[in-house]
Amino acid sequence: MDYRTGRLQDMAAVTELAHRHGALMVWDLCHSVGALPVRLDDCQADFAVGCTYKYLNGGPGSPAFLYAATRHLEAARQPLTGWFGHADPFAFEPGYRPAEGIGRFLTGTPPLLAFAGLQAALDIWQDVDLDALRAKSLALSTLFLELTAPLGLASATPVEPDLRGSQISLRHPQAYQVMQALIARGVIGDYRAPDVLRFGFTPLYLSHTDVWDAAEALREVLDSGSWRDPRFAAQAGAVT
Ligand SMILES: *Cc1c(COP(=O)(O)O)cnc(C)c1O
């Protein structure tokens, strides 16, 4: 999924196109994992990477993940070698021998405190039906599109449900200020240059009422012009 527009890619078709031209396909799943079902084996993906702190709810600093198709395991080399990826870590050999299989992608000692947060999240995911998750995600984002349509902001996200992930990006020429005004009201989305208000819908814990309240807050911020307050114009971070 494109992190700016929220447009969903046809993973099987794009992977097939890459293969036809002799390339390998590496998917970045940061905005897909935990937002919708992803079937890497079915679409013949070669590799994939992703983070676990977004839709998976692993918390700040939770570890990244990596996928490698079984057919690549033997030939694939891990450039960030560490003792956890060694074939015999306690042999303390002078050279490096990668472990068999996916284990060769491990690096050094894992950050266990970060894993503990992720483990708690994954315990919950164990019981989640991903098709039901996708249905709720689309129900939430469709509701948000409907409620905000009268505001007249263009959607950078495709309105067709099959073409979007679990976010809605709306355009406003002063998107930074508008988002700051929303955050001050407790509706936390983000801004992406040059004019995108980005709203993520986390189906596991966001309710339809939350979406209703967020749309209402956006309407009030725009109708009242409260976003024009100079305190919302100060660019605080590095986000662009
Ligand atoms: C969040 C995100 C990442 C992850 O970056 P980290 O360095 O793991 O925080 C990668 N790609 C995209 C498109 C993202 O949105």
Side-chain angles (χ1 to χ4, degrees):
M1 198 180 86
D2 184 298
Y3 73 96
R4 254 194 195 118
T5 63
R7 175 180 284 274
L8 205 54
Q9 303 291 341
D10 181 339
M11 290 177 66
V14 174
T15 303
E16 204 270 324
L17 188 64
H19 287 171
R20 204 169 345 126
H21 291 273
L24 295 177
M25 191 68 213
V26 184
W27 286 98
D28 179 336
L29 301 178
C30 287
H31 286 260
S32 309
V33 64
L36 64 155
V38 176
R39 299 187 173 89
L40 291 166
D41 286 335
D42 289 357
C43 63
Q44 296 290 309
D46 297 290
F47 297 95
V49 292
C51 62
T52 59
Y53 58 84
K54 290 175 183 157
Y55 293 95
L56 285 183
N57 310 318
S62 63
F65 69 87
L66 173 151
Y67 159 96
T70 311
R71 64 184 179 280
H72 292 308
L73 286 182
E74 210 175 318
R77 290 281 169 268
Q78 148 72 295
L80 298 172
T81 53
W83 75 305
F84 264 66
H86 197 281
D88 191 357
F90 287 98
F92 301 112
E93 300 167 0
Y96 184 80
R97 274 191 303 127
E100 291 287 313
I102 194 75
R104 67 179 50 193
F105 288 98
L106 293 172
T107 54
T109 309
L112 285 181
L113 293 179
F115 270 101
L118 178 60
Q119 183 65 58
L122 294 180
D123 286 347
I124 294 169
W125 281 102
Q126 207 70 38
D127 298 322
V128 173
D129 173 335
L130 291 180
D131 292 321
L133 178 92
R134 173 70 170 154
K136 170 133 185 239
S137 154
L138 288 178
L140 295 175
S141 57
T142 301
L143 177 64
F144 188 72
L145 274 176
E146 284 170 9
L147 293 174
T148 56
L151 304 178
L153 305 182
S155 175
T157 306
V159 291
E160 303 92 322
D162 290 349
L163 296 183
R164 59 178 201 256
S166 202
Q167 76 179 57
I168 299 290
S169 294
L170 300 177
R171 295 190 189 282
H172 186 284
Q174 301 300 329
Y176 183 86
Q177 284 95 320
V178 172
M179 186 50 76
Q180 291 304 308
L182 275 174
I183 291 171
R185 297 189 44 141
V187 176
I188 303 179
D190 57 18
Y191 158 78
R192 285 292 176 267
D195 59 356
V196 168
L197 294 160
R198 192 172 70 160
F199 299 89
F201 300 88
T202 314
L204 279 197
Y205 60 82
L206 277 183
S207 68
H208 292 77
T209 312
D210 293 326
V211 172
W212 181 282
D213 291 343
E216 186 58 16
L218 179 58
R219 188 186 65 74
E220 283 173 21
V221 162
L222 294 177
D223 282 359
S224 68
S226 66
W227 59 269
R228 294 175 194 276
D229 187 312
R231 78 191 154 109
F232 296 133
Q235 298 256 353
V239 167
T240 56

